[in-house]
Short mmCIF file of all heavy atoms in Angstrom, two decimals:
data_model
loop_
_atom_site.label_atom_id
_atom_site.label_comp_id
_atom_site.label_asym_id
_atom_site.label_seq_id
_atom_site.Cartn_x
_atom_site.Cartn_y
_atom_site.Cartn_z
N TRP P 7 0.74 9.36 0.20
CA TRP P 7 -0.69 9.64 0.16
C TRP P 7 -0.98 11.14 0.14
O TRP P 7 -1.74 11.64 -0.65
CB TRP P 7 -1.32 8.97 1.39
CG TRP P 7 -2.60 9.56 1.89
CD1 TRP P 7 -2.74 10.36 2.96
CD2 TRP P 7 -3.87 9.42 1.30
NE1 TRP P 7 -4.02 10.72 3.13
CE2 TRP P 7 -4.77 10.14 2.09
CE3 TRP P 7 -4.35 8.72 0.16
CZ2 TRP P 7 -6.11 10.22 1.80
CZ3 TRP P 7 -5.71 8.82 -0.05
CH2 TRP P 7 -6.57 9.55 0.74
N MET P 11 -2.62 13.40 -2.74
CA MET P 11 -3.77 14.24 -2.46
C MET P 11 -3.59 15.63 -3.06
O MET P 11 -4.47 16.16 -3.73
CB MET P 11 -3.96 14.37 -0.93
CG MET P 11 -4.97 13.40 -0.39
SD MET P 11 -6.31 14.10 0.53
CE MET P 11 -5.53 15.05 1.80
N THR P 14 -3.84 15.51 -6.84
CA THR P 14 -5.18 15.20 -7.32
C THR P 14 -6.08 16.40 -7.14
O THR P 14 -6.89 16.74 -8.00
CB THR P 14 -5.79 14.01 -6.57
OG1 THR P 14 -4.82 12.99 -6.49
CG2 THR P 14 -7.04 13.55 -7.22
N THR P 15 -5.88 17.02 -5.98
CA THR P 15 -6.67 18.20 -5.73
C THR P 15 -6.44 19.22 -6.84
O THR P 15 -7.38 19.75 -7.43
CB THR P 15 -6.28 18.82 -4.38
OG1 THR P 15 -6.34 17.81 -3.40
CG2 THR P 15 -7.22 19.94 -4.02
N VAL P 19 -9.94 19.47 -8.92
CA VAL P 19 -10.85 20.50 -8.46
C VAL P 19 -10.82 21.75 -9.32
O VAL P 19 -11.81 22.46 -9.46
CB VAL P 19 -10.55 20.84 -6.98
CG1 VAL P 19 -11.50 21.88 -6.44
CG2 VAL P 19 -10.62 19.58 -6.15
N ASN P 41 -7.71 11.79 -15.25
CA ASN P 41 -8.68 10.95 -14.55
C ASN P 41 -9.21 9.82 -15.43
O ASN P 41 -9.50 8.72 -14.95
CB ASN P 41 -9.86 11.80 -14.07
CG ASN P 41 -9.47 12.66 -12.87
OD1 ASN P 41 -8.48 12.37 -12.20
ND2 ASN P 41 -10.23 13.70 -12.64
N LYS P 44 -7.69 6.54 -15.48
CA LYS P 44 -7.97 5.65 -14.33
C LYS P 44 -9.23 4.81 -14.52
O LYS P 44 -9.50 3.89 -13.75
CB LYS P 44 -8.14 6.51 -13.07
CG LYS P 44 -6.82 7.19 -12.70
CD LYS P 44 -7.01 8.27 -11.68
CE LYS P 44 -5.66 8.92 -11.38
NZ LYS P 44 -5.81 10.14 -10.60
N TYR P 45 -10.03 5.13 -15.49
CA TYR P 45 -11.27 4.38 -15.72
C TYR P 45 -11.18 3.48 -16.95
O TYR P 45 -12.16 2.90 -17.35
CB TYR P 45 -12.47 5.35 -15.84
CG TYR P 45 -12.75 6.08 -14.54
CD1 TYR P 45 -12.20 7.31 -14.30
CD2 TYR P 45 -13.58 5.48 -13.58
CE1 TYR P 45 -12.43 7.96 -13.13
CE2 TYR P 45 -13.82 6.13 -12.40
CZ TYR P 45 -13.26 7.37 -12.16
OH TYR P 45 -13.49 8.01 -11.01
N ARG P 166 -18.42 3.01 -14.04
CA ARG P 166 -18.64 4.22 -13.26
C ARG P 166 -18.47 5.46 -14.12
O ARG P 166 -19.20 6.42 -13.97
CB ARG P 166 -17.66 4.26 -12.09
CG ARG P 166 -18.04 3.29 -10.98
CD ARG P 166 -17.11 3.41 -9.81
NE ARG P 166 -15.84 2.74 -10.07
CZ ARG P 166 -14.80 2.83 -9.26
NH1 ARG P 166 -14.84 3.56 -8.19
NH2 ARG P 166 -13.70 2.18 -9.56
N LEU P 170 -21.44 8.40 -16.02
CA LEU P 170 -21.41 9.84 -16.18
C LEU P 170 -21.52 10.26 -17.65
O LEU P 170 -21.85 11.40 -17.96
CB LEU P 170 -20.09 10.40 -15.63
CG LEU P 170 -19.73 10.03 -14.19
CD1 LEU P 170 -18.36 10.63 -13.82
CD2 LEU P 170 -20.78 10.55 -13.24
N THR V 60 -17.08 8.15 -7.19
CA THR V 60 -15.70 8.51 -7.57
C THR V 60 -15.64 9.15 -8.95
O THR V 60 -15.00 10.20 -9.13
CB THR V 60 -14.79 7.29 -7.55
OG1 THR V 60 -15.46 6.24 -8.26
CG2 THR V 60 -14.51 6.83 -6.12
N ALA V 61 -16.33 8.54 -9.89
CA ALA V 61 -16.26 9.08 -11.26
C ALA V 61 -16.83 10.49 -11.31
O ALA V 61 -16.26 11.39 -11.92
CB ALA V 61 -17.04 8.16 -12.19
N ASP V 64 -14.38 12.67 -9.93
CA ASP V 64 -13.26 12.79 -10.87
C ASP V 64 -13.60 13.74 -12.00
O ASP V 64 -12.77 14.52 -12.44
CB ASP V 64 -12.91 11.41 -11.44
CG ASP V 64 -11.97 10.67 -10.50
OD1 ASP V 64 -11.37 11.36 -9.62
OD2 ASP V 64 -11.85 9.43 -10.60
N PHE V 65 -14.82 13.62 -12.39
CA PHE V 65 -15.16 14.42 -13.56
C PHE V 65 -16.07 15.58 -13.22
O PHE V 65 -16.79 16.10 -14.05
CB PHE V 65 -15.79 13.52 -14.63
CG PHE V 65 -14.83 12.46 -15.07
CD1 PHE V 65 -14.91 11.16 -14.60
CD2 PHE V 65 -13.78 12.79 -15.95
CE1 PHE V 65 -14.01 10.21 -15.00
CE2 PHE V 65 -12.88 11.81 -16.34
CZ PHE V 65 -12.98 10.52 -15.87
N ALA V 70 -24.45 13.91 -11.45
CA ALA V 70 -24.28 12.46 -11.32
C ALA V 70 -24.11 12.07 -9.86
O ALA V 70 -24.69 11.08 -9.37
CB ALA V 70 -23.07 12.01 -12.13
N ARG V 93 -10.77 18.35 -1.80
CA ARG V 93 -10.37 19.58 -1.13
C ARG V 93 -11.37 19.97 -0.05
O ARG V 93 -11.40 21.11 0.40
CB ARG V 93 -10.21 20.70 -2.17
CG ARG V 93 -9.05 20.38 -3.13
CD ARG V 93 -8.99 21.36 -4.28
NE ARG V 93 -8.70 22.69 -3.81
CZ ARG V 93 -8.77 23.76 -4.59
NH1 ARG V 93 -9.15 23.65 -5.86
NH2 ARG V 93 -8.46 24.95 -4.14
N ARG V 95 -14.47 20.43 -0.03
CA ARG V 95 -15.56 21.33 -0.37
C ARG V 95 -16.76 20.52 -0.78
O ARG V 95 -16.63 19.44 -1.33
CB ARG V 95 -15.11 22.30 -1.48
CG ARG V 95 -14.16 23.35 -0.93
CD ARG V 95 -13.90 24.39 -1.96
NE ARG V 95 -13.45 23.76 -3.19
CZ ARG V 95 -12.77 24.43 -4.13
NH1 ARG V 95 -12.48 25.70 -3.97
NH2 ARG V 95 -12.39 23.82 -5.22
N TYR V 131 -12.34 6.62 -2.00
CA TYR V 131 -11.13 6.29 -2.75
C TYR V 131 -11.49 5.84 -4.14
O TYR V 131 -12.49 5.17 -4.37
CB TYR V 131 -10.36 5.15 -2.05
CG TYR V 131 -9.69 5.56 -0.77
CD1 TYR V 131 -10.18 5.17 0.47
CD2 TYR V 131 -8.51 6.34 -0.82
CE1 TYR V 131 -9.56 5.53 1.63
CE2 TYR V 131 -7.90 6.71 0.35
CZ TYR V 131 -8.41 6.31 1.57
OH TYR V 131 -7.79 6.68 2.72
N ARG V 132 -10.62 6.24 -5.05
CA ARG V 132 -10.62 5.55 -6.33
C ARG V 132 -9.29 4.85 -6.38
O ARG V 132 -8.26 5.48 -6.41
CB ARG V 132 -10.75 6.55 -7.47
CG ARG V 132 -10.91 5.87 -8.80
CD ARG V 132 -10.39 6.66 -9.99
NE ARG V 132 -10.34 8.07 -9.82
CZ ARG V 132 -9.21 8.69 -9.49
NH1 ARG V 132 -8.10 8.03 -9.26
NH2 ARG V 132 -9.19 10.00 -9.39
N GLU V 135 -6.34 6.25 -4.36
CA GLU V 135 -6.35 7.70 -4.34
C GLU V 135 -7.60 8.23 -3.67
O GLU V 135 -8.70 7.79 -3.97
CB GLU V 135 -6.29 8.21 -5.79
CG GLU V 135 -5.81 9.62 -5.90
CD GLU V 135 -5.71 10.00 -7.38
OE1 GLU V 135 -5.29 9.12 -8.18
OE2 GLU V 135 -6.09 11.11 -7.70
N LEU V 136 -7.39 9.14 -2.71
CA LEU V 136 -8.51 9.74 -2.01
C LEU V 136 -9.13 10.78 -2.92
O LEU V 136 -8.46 11.68 -3.39
CB LEU V 136 -8.02 10.41 -0.72
CG LEU V 136 -9.12 11.03 0.10
CD1 LEU V 136 -9.84 9.98 0.94
CD2 LEU V 136 -8.55 12.12 1.01
#
Side-chain angles (χ1 to χ4, degrees):
Chain P
W7 155 258
M11 263 236 305
T14 314
T15 308
V19 182
N41 286 341
K44 294 167 181 169
Y45 294 93
R166 285 183 282 172
L170 306 178
Chain V
T60 48
D64 275 343
F65 298 101
R93 294 172 64 189
R95 286 189 307 200
Y131 288 106
R132 186 208 335 98
E135 200 177 321
L136 182 81

